[in-house]
């Protein structure tokens, strides 16, 4: 097992324990059940249909976070290819746990209702992608470009041009903070930094964030 995969597994365990998250792969029984339930409610919501397609698609690179059935917390369904390339894995763990954090904080239907609004969905995804970008920055020492961070949002999310512009603005602000040596104002970013400083201090390649 490579260093980054080992680190990603440890980060996943750390965040899952804190946010009461069940993490599975897309072939697990839990993912199959989630897919079938989503199938029943996605007919009138085209962009939500894409989430089911992600769970079904063996070649998909997108992981998804869903409300946990019958209890507080969330279920993260990791894509089959989540560990390719390896640096993608810890970044995805951070990204999906930002969604899980929101579901744990607000275990009600309002979270789902909010996610049907373009602007609110763009804001939520911007936070999640910023958490992933921060994790990747710490582990590579290379600041991601805003175009690269936002690119996944341009397809499959059903976002309007205005909503994409909102996401870009938010992500650019977070990247500017990272470049200045400031942790973006997202709890998961703080969690990731604490985890790395405690468990893998040698993995932090950005001097301004080293303990």
């Amino acid at each position: 097992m490579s260093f980054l995969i080992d680190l990603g597994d440890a980060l996943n365990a750390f965040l899952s324990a804190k946010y009461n998250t069940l993490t599975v792969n897309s072939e697990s029984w839990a993912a199959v059940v989630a897919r079938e339930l989503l199938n029943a409610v996605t007919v009138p919501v085209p962009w939500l249909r894409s989430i089911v397609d992600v769970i079904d698609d063996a070649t998909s690179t997108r992981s998804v976070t869903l409300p946990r059935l019958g209890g507080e917390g969330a279920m993260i369904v990791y894509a089959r290819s989540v560990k390719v390339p390896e640096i993608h894995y810890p970044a995805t763990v951070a990204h999906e746990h930002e969604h899980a954090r929101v579901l744990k904080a607000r275990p009600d239907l309002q979270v789902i209702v909010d996610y049907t609004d373009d602007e609110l969905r763009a804001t939520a995804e911007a936070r999640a992608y910023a958490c992933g970008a921060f994790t990747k920055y710490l582990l590579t020492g290379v600041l991601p470009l805003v175009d690269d961070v936002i690119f996944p949002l341009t397809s499959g999310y059903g976002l309007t041009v205005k909503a994409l512009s909102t996401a870009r603005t938010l992500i650019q602000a977070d990247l500017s903070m990272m470049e200045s040596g400031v942790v973006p104002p997202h709890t998961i970013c703080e969690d990731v930094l604490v985890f790395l400083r405690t468990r893998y201090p040698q993995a932090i390649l950005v001097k301004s964030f080293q303990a």
Side-chain angles (χ1 to χ4, degrees):
M1 182 179 294
S2 80
F3 175 73
L4 285 174
I5 298 301
D6 179 63
L7 185 154
D9 284 341
L11 177 61
N12 185 63
F14 172 78
L15 293 176
S16 293
K18 181 172 182 178
Y19 295 104
N20 190 31
T21 305
L22 171 67
T23 59
V24 300
N25 63 54
S26 57
E27 297 175 315
S28 73
W29 66 267
V32 172
V33 171
R35 181 192 63 215
E36 294 306 317
L37 289 175
L38 282 170
N39 267 325
V41 300
T42 57
V43 175
V45 189
W47 65 262
L48 190 57
R49 173 68 232 176
S50 69
I51 294 179
V52 181
D53 293 339
V54 165
I55 298 175
D56 277 340
D57 187 357
T59 65
S60 176
T61 59
R62 190 187 306 167
S63 301
V64 296
T65 299
L66 307 166
R68 189 189 294 193
L69 302 176
E72 180 182 311
M75 178 176 71
I76 296 174
V77 182
Y78 285 120
R80 292 171 176 84
S81 57
V82 69
K83 299 178 181 180
V84 181
E86 292 176 356
I87 187 61
H88 182 63
Y89 181 37
T92 301
V93 169
H95 174 119
E96 297 301 336
H97 274 91
E98 166 57 23
H99 292 311
R101 179 196 66 79
V102 173
L103 287 170
K104 183 176 187 296
R106 299 178 60 198
D108 54 50
L109 290 177
Q110 188 59 45
V111 175
I112 300 173
V113 172
D114 287 350
Y115 202 74
T116 63
D117 179 275
D118 271 359
E119 290 292 317
L120 294 177
R121 187 159 75 256
T123 299
E125 290 299 339
R127 286 197 306 264
Y129 276 103
C131 291
F134 180 63
T135 303
K136 188 174 292 186
Y137 181 41
L138 293 177
L139 296 175
T140 65
V142 178
L143 185 70
L145 299 174
V146 65
D147 285 344
D148 292 337
V149 178
I150 201 172
F151 178 74
L153 285 175
T154 61
S155 64
Y157 286 90
L159 294 175
T160 63
V161 172
K162 181 183 177 183
L164 282 171
S165 178
T166 296
R168 172 181 284 275
T169 298
L170 294 171
I171 290 170
Q172 183 60 71
D174 285 336
L175 291 174
S176 295
M177 294 180 73
M178 296 178 208
E179 189 173 25
S180 300
V182 178
V183 181
H186 310 307
T187 303
I188 294 296
C189 289
E190 296 171 359
D191 289 338
V192 169
L193 185 57
V194 168
F195 167 81
L196 290 176
R197 284 176 171 174
T198 303
R199 298 276 300 274
Y200 294 88
Q202 76 280 14
I204 301 176
L205 300 183
V206 183
K207 188 173 182 180
S208 58
F209 290 113
Q210 293 170 350

